[in-house]
Amino acid sequence: MLITAAPEADTIFCGNDQIADGARETLAALGRRVPDDVASGVVRQPGRLVVRESTGQLLRRLGN
């Protein structure tokens, strides 16, 4: 898990509530407290917008 690769991290952003719950459980197992030791937040993006934007960026990088 990324948090074990960067134990000094003090903020974590998650894509949805389920991921945030899992992150909090993992952090607790590592002895880290939310929000005392690590701030957390959920970033929601509309799925179609994310797909459209990421596809456009990929095509621009490929030169199409």
Side-chain angles (χ1 to χ4, degrees):
M1 174 168 245
L2 184 58
I3 196 66
T4 58
E8 72 282 357
D10 62 0
T11 306
I12 187 167
F13 291 97
C14 303
N16 60 45
D17 292 337
Q18 288 176 311
I19 294 171
D21 288 341
R24 282 191 285 273
E25 289 175 11
T26 300
L27 288 164
L30 295 171
R32 309 282 304 273
R33 297 169 298 159
V34 176
D36 298 327
D37 300 323
V38 180
S40 71
V42 175
V43 179
R44 292 184 178 87
Q45 295 291 327
R48 290 179 189 224
L49 175 64
V50 171
V51 170
R52 185 176 66 229
E53 291 298 318
S54 58
T55 301
Q57 288 180 23
L58 178 61
L59 289 173
R60 282 190 293 280
R61 288 182 182 198
L62 292 172
N64 293 327

